[in-house]
mmCIF file of all heavy atoms in Angstrom:
data_model
loop_
_atom_site.group_PDB
_atom_site.id
_atom_site.type_symbol
_atom_site.label_atom_id
_atom_site.label_comp_id
_atom_site.label_asym_id
_atom_site.label_seq_id
_atom_site.Cartn_x
_atom_site.Cartn_y
_atom_site.Cartn_z
ATOM 1 N N SER A 21 13.197 -8.618 5.919
ATOM 2 C CA SER A 21 12.545 -9.882 5.603
ATOM 3 C C SER A 21 11.072 -9.805 5.984
ATOM 4 O O SER A 21 10.697 -9.063 6.896
ATOM 5 C CB SER A 21 13.198 -11.040 6.369
ATOM 6 O OG SER A 21 14.547 -11.185 6.022
ATOM 7 N N CYS A 22 10.277 -10.591 5.290
ATOM 8 C CA CYS A 22 8.855 -10.689 5.599
ATOM 9 C C CYS A 22 8.478 -12.166 5.531
ATOM 10 O O CYS A 22 8.355 -12.745 4.444
ATOM 11 C CB CYS A 22 8.029 -9.879 4.610
ATOM 12 S SG CYS A 22 6.248 -10.053 4.792
ATOM 13 N N ALA A 23 8.347 -12.772 6.703
ATOM 14 C CA ALA A 23 7.962 -14.173 6.780
ATOM 15 C C ALA A 23 6.450 -14.287 6.708
ATOM 16 O O ALA A 23 5.743 -13.551 7.398
ATOM 17 C CB ALA A 23 8.481 -14.778 8.079
ATOM 18 N N THR A 24 5.965 -15.205 5.879
ATOM 19 C CA THR A 24 4.526 -15.305 5.673
ATOM 20 C C THR A 24 4.000 -16.697 5.995
ATOM 21 O O THR A 24 4.745 -17.688 5.984
ATOM 22 C CB THR A 24 4.147 -14.959 4.228
ATOM 23 O OG1 THR A 24 4.509 -16.051 3.368
ATOM 24 C CG2 THR A 24 4.841 -13.689 3.760
ATOM 25 N N SER A 25 2.700 -16.766 6.245
ATOM 26 C CA SER A 25 2.033 -18.041 6.466
ATOM 27 C C SER A 25 0.546 -17.864 6.221
ATOM 28 O O SER A 25 0.047 -16.741 6.145
ATOM 29 C CB SER A 25 2.281 -18.544 7.891
ATOM 30 O OG SER A 25 1.750 -17.634 8.834
ATOM 31 N N GLY A 26 -0.154 -18.985 6.068
ATOM 32 C CA GLY A 26 -1.600 -18.942 5.940
ATOM 33 C C GLY A 26 -2.129 -18.804 4.528
ATOM 34 O O GLY A 26 -3.348 -18.686 4.333
ATOM 35 N N PHE A 27 -1.238 -18.817 3.525
ATOM 36 C CA PHE A 27 -1.686 -18.759 2.133
ATOM 37 C C PHE A 27 -0.607 -19.374 1.251
ATOM 38 O O PHE A 27 0.517 -19.607 1.702
ATOM 39 C CB PHE A 27 -1.991 -17.326 1.700
ATOM 40 C CG PHE A 27 -0.795 -16.402 1.672
ATOM 41 C CD1 PHE A 27 -0.166 -16.075 0.485
ATOM 42 C CD2 PHE A 27 -0.297 -15.851 2.850
ATOM 43 C CE1 PHE A 27 0.931 -15.228 0.450
ATOM 44 C CE2 PHE A 27 0.799 -14.999 2.838
ATOM 45 C CZ PHE A 27 1.424 -14.690 1.636
ATOM 46 N N THR A 28 -0.950 -19.632 -0.003
ATOM 47 C CA THR A 28 -0.007 -20.218 -0.948
ATOM 48 C C THR A 28 0.878 -19.112 -1.505
ATOM 49 O O THR A 28 0.535 -18.434 -2.476
ATOM 50 C CB THR A 28 -0.748 -20.949 -2.079
ATOM 51 O OG1 THR A 28 -1.662 -21.890 -1.515
ATOM 52 C CG2 THR A 28 0.247 -21.693 -2.976
ATOM 53 N N PHE A 29 2.022 -18.926 -0.859
ATOM 54 C CA PHE A 29 2.899 -17.776 -1.106
ATOM 55 C C PHE A 29 3.260 -17.645 -2.582
ATOM 56 O O PHE A 29 3.260 -16.529 -3.121
ATOM 57 C CB PHE A 29 4.162 -17.925 -0.261
ATOM 58 C CG PHE A 29 5.136 -16.787 -0.374
ATOM 59 C CD1 PHE A 29 4.856 -15.542 0.182
ATOM 60 C CD2 PHE A 29 6.362 -16.953 -1.018
ATOM 61 C CE1 PHE A 29 5.766 -14.494 0.096
ATOM 62 C CE2 PHE A 29 7.284 -15.921 -1.112
ATOM 63 C CZ PHE A 29 6.976 -14.684 -0.548
ATOM 64 N N ASN A 30 3.550 -18.743 -3.254
ATOM 65 C CA ASN A 30 4.055 -18.662 -4.625
ATOM 66 C C ASN A 30 2.992 -18.316 -5.657
ATOM 67 O O ASN A 30 3.274 -18.315 -6.862
ATOM 68 C CB ASN A 30 4.788 -19.949 -5.013
ATOM 69 C CG ASN A 30 3.878 -21.167 -5.013
ATOM 70 O OD1 ASN A 30 2.659 -21.055 -4.954
ATOM 71 N ND2 ASN A 30 4.476 -22.343 -5.085
ATOM 72 N N LYS A 31 1.792 -17.994 -5.215
ATOM 73 C CA LYS A 31 0.736 -17.612 -6.151
ATOM 74 C C LYS A 31 0.417 -16.113 -6.123
ATOM 75 O O LYS A 31 -0.425 -15.636 -6.900
ATOM 76 C CB LYS A 31 -0.549 -18.389 -5.853
ATOM 77 C CG LYS A 31 -0.435 -19.882 -6.149
ATOM 78 C CD LYS A 31 -1.772 -20.561 -6.028
ATOM 79 C CE LYS A 31 -1.669 -22.059 -6.288
ATOM 80 N NZ LYS A 31 -1.170 -22.370 -7.640
ATOM 81 N N TYR A 32 1.068 -15.370 -5.219
ATOM 82 C CA TYR A 32 0.702 -13.969 -5.029
ATOM 83 C C TYR A 32 1.890 -13.032 -5.208
ATOM 84 O O TYR A 32 2.993 -13.293 -4.704
ATOM 85 C CB TYR A 32 0.125 -13.755 -3.637
ATOM 86 C CG TYR A 32 -1.203 -14.432 -3.425
ATOM 87 C CD1 TYR A 32 -1.250 -15.767 -3.039
ATOM 88 C CD2 TYR A 32 -2.392 -13.752 -3.627
ATOM 89 C CE1 TYR A 32 -2.468 -16.410 -2.869
ATOM 90 C CE2 TYR A 32 -3.618 -14.379 -3.447
ATOM 91 C CZ TYR A 32 -3.644 -15.709 -3.074
ATOM 92 O OH TYR A 32 -4.844 -16.334 -2.902
ATOM 93 N N ALA A 33 1.628 -11.908 -5.881
ATOM 94 C CA ALA A 33 2.609 -10.831 -5.905
ATOM 95 C C ALA A 33 2.714 -10.229 -4.508
ATOM 96 O O ALA A 33 1.743 -10.235 -3.745
ATOM 97 C CB ALA A 33 2.202 -9.764 -6.918
ATOM 98 N N MET A 34 3.877 -9.707 -4.206
ATOM 99 C CA MET A 34 4.135 -9.117 -2.893
ATOM 100 C C MET A 34 4.751 -7.737 -3.062
ATOM 101 O O MET A 34 5.483 -7.471 -4.028
ATOM 102 C CB MET A 34 5.089 -10.005 -2.078
ATOM 103 C CG MET A 34 4.560 -11.404 -1.782
ATOM 104 S SD MET A 34 3.178 -11.430 -0.642
ATOM 105 C CE MET A 34 3.923 -10.794 0.858
ATOM 106 N N THR A 35 4.495 -6.885 -2.092
ATOM 107 C CA THR A 35 4.875 -5.479 -2.189
ATOM 108 C C THR A 35 5.465 -4.965 -0.879
ATOM 109 O O THR A 35 5.070 -5.422 0.194
ATOM 110 C CB THR A 35 3.630 -4.644 -2.564
ATOM 111 O OG1 THR A 35 3.219 -4.977 -3.890
ATOM 112 C CG2 THR A 35 3.893 -3.148 -2.485
ATOM 113 N N TRP A 36 6.389 -4.019 -0.993
ATOM 114 C CA TRP A 36 6.866 -3.237 0.158
ATOM 115 C C TRP A 36 6.319 -1.817 0.027
ATOM 116 O O TRP A 36 6.404 -1.201 -1.039
ATOM 117 C CB TRP A 36 8.390 -3.192 0.201
ATOM 118 C CG TRP A 36 9.038 -4.481 0.568
ATOM 119 C CD1 TRP A 36 9.584 -5.413 -0.283
ATOM 120 C CD2 TRP A 36 9.227 -5.002 1.885
ATOM 121 N NE1 TRP A 36 10.082 -6.480 0.419
ATOM 122 C CE2 TRP A 36 9.890 -6.251 1.757
ATOM 123 C CE3 TRP A 36 8.916 -4.552 3.169
ATOM 124 C CZ2 TRP A 36 10.234 -7.037 2.859
ATOM 125 C CZ3 TRP A 36 9.257 -5.329 4.259
ATOM 126 C CH2 TRP A 36 9.905 -6.561 4.100
ATOM 127 N N VAL A 37 5.762 -1.329 1.134
ATOM 128 C CA VAL A 37 5.251 0.040 1.231
ATOM 129 C C VAL A 37 5.866 0.657 2.472
ATOM 130 O O VAL A 37 6.005 -0.029 3.496
ATOM 131 C CB VAL A 37 3.711 0.053 1.340
ATOM 132 C CG1 VAL A 37 3.197 1.474 1.583
ATOM 133 C CG2 VAL A 37 3.073 -0.533 0.091
ATOM 134 N N ARG A 38 6.241 1.916 2.423
ATOM 135 C CA ARG A 38 6.799 2.554 3.608
ATOM 136 C C ARG A 38 5.979 3.767 4.017
ATOM 137 O O ARG A 38 5.239 4.342 3.220
ATOM 138 C CB ARG A 38 8.266 2.940 3.391
ATOM 139 C CG ARG A 38 8.510 4.029 2.363
ATOM 140 C CD ARG A 38 10.012 4.188 2.126
ATOM 141 N NE ARG A 38 10.318 5.236 1.164
ATOM 142 C CZ ARG A 38 11.539 5.515 0.712
ATOM 143 N NH1 ARG A 38 12.583 4.802 1.132
ATOM 144 N NH2 ARG A 38 11.727 6.489 -0.164
ATOM 145 N N GLN A 39 6.145 4.119 5.279
ATOM 146 C CA GLN A 39 5.387 5.238 5.840
ATOM 147 C C GLN A 39 6.262 5.977 6.830
ATOM 148 O O GLN A 39 6.689 5.405 7.841
ATOM 149 C CB GLN A 39 4.120 4.755 6.528
ATOM 150 C CG GLN A 39 3.213 5.868 7.030
ATOM 151 C CD GLN A 39 1.858 5.366 7.455
ATOM 152 O OE1 GLN A 39 1.712 4.243 7.935
ATOM 153 N NE2 GLN A 39 0.825 6.178 7.254
ATOM 154 N N THR A 40 6.532 7.233 6.535
ATOM 155 C CA THR A 40 7.266 8.073 7.465
ATOM 156 C C THR A 40 6.359 8.365 8.644
ATOM 157 O O THR A 40 5.173 8.656 8.446
ATOM 158 C CB THR A 40 7.685 9.382 6.781
ATOM 159 O OG1 THR A 40 8.429 9.064 5.608
ATOM 160 C CG2 THR A 40 8.517 10.241 7.695
ATOM 161 N N PRO A 41 6.883 8.297 9.871
ATOM 162 C CA PRO A 41 6.046 8.528 11.049
ATOM 163 C C PRO A 41 5.210 9.793 10.929
ATOM 164 O O PRO A 41 5.733 10.876 10.666
ATOM 165 C CB PRO A 41 7.072 8.628 12.185
ATOM 166 C CG PRO A 41 8.180 7.754 11.731
ATOM 167 C CD PRO A 41 8.262 7.933 10.233
ATOM 168 N N GLY A 42 3.903 9.643 11.077
ATOM 169 C CA GLY A 42 3.007 10.781 11.020
ATOM 170 C C GLY A 42 2.673 11.256 9.625
ATOM 171 O O GLY A 42 1.947 12.240 9.468
ATOM 172 N N LYS A 43 3.177 10.541 8.607
ATOM 173 C CA LYS A 43 2.926 10.982 7.235
ATOM 174 C C LYS A 43 2.284 9.863 6.422
ATOM 175 O O LYS A 43 1.826 8.854 6.936
ATOM 176 C CB LYS A 43 4.224 11.496 6.604
ATOM 177 C CG LYS A 43 4.748 12.751 7.305
ATOM 178 C CD LYS A 43 5.816 13.443 6.508
ATOM 179 C CE LYS A 43 6.252 14.729 7.204
ATOM 180 N NZ LYS A 43 7.333 15.425 6.452
ATOM 181 N N GLY A 44 2.278 10.050 5.119
ATOM 182 C CA GLY A 44 1.521 9.166 4.241
ATOM 183 C C GLY A 44 2.278 7.930 3.797
ATOM 184 O O GLY A 44 3.430 7.698 4.156
ATOM 185 N N LEU A 45 1.558 7.131 3.001
ATOM 186 C CA LEU A 45 2.104 5.890 2.469
ATOM 187 C C LEU A 45 2.882 6.164 1.182
ATOM 188 O O LEU A 45 2.501 7.017 0.384
ATOM 189 C CB LEU A 45 0.973 4.907 2.168
ATOM 190 C CG LEU A 45 0.071 4.518 3.329
ATOM 191 C CD1 LEU A 45 -1.103 3.683 2.833
ATOM 192 C CD2 LEU A 45 0.851 3.758 4.385
ATOM 193 N N GLU A 46 3.953 5.397 0.995
ATOM 194 C CA GLU A 46 4.734 5.480 -0.238
ATOM 195 C C GLU A 46 5.018 4.076 -0.734
ATOM 196 O O GLU A 46 5.630 3.266 -0.020
ATOM 197 C CB GLU A 46 6.053 6.223 -0.028
ATOM 198 C CG GLU A 46 6.889 6.334 -1.315
ATOM 199 C CD GLU A 46 8.268 6.958 -1.100
ATOM 200 O OE1 GLU A 46 8.662 7.139 0.064
ATOM 201 O OE2 GLU A 46 8.948 7.254 -2.120
ATOM 202 N N TRP A 47 4.582 3.766 -1.947
ATOM 203 C CA TRP A 47 4.894 2.489 -2.557
ATOM 204 C C TRP A 47 6.388 2.413 -2.835
ATOM 205 O O TRP A 47 6.986 3.380 -3.329
ATOM 206 C CB TRP A 47 4.104 2.329 -3.852
ATOM 207 C CG TRP A 47 4.494 1.131 -4.644
ATOM 208 C CD1 TRP A 47 4.145 -0.176 -4.406
ATOM 209 C CD2 TRP A 47 5.318 1.107 -5.807
ATOM 210 N NE1 TRP A 47 4.714 -0.999 -5.352
ATOM 211 C CE2 TRP A 47 5.435 -0.238 -6.223
ATOM 212 C CE3 TRP A 47 5.974 2.093 -6.545
ATOM 213 C CZ2 TRP A 47 6.173 -0.622 -7.339
ATOM 214 C CZ3 TRP A 47 6.705 1.725 -7.653
ATOM 215 C CH2 TRP A 47 6.804 0.381 -8.040
#
Side-chain angles (χ1 to χ4, degrees):
Chain A
S21 299
C22 174
T24 75
S25 62
F27 65 102
T28 306
F29 182 71
N30 63 13
K31 292 188 181 300
Y32 293 85
M34 298 291 296
T35 293
W36 289 98
V37 174
R38 67 187 181 185
Q39 185 169 32
T40 304
K43 295 194 177 179
L45 302 173
E46 180 185 10
W47 172 77

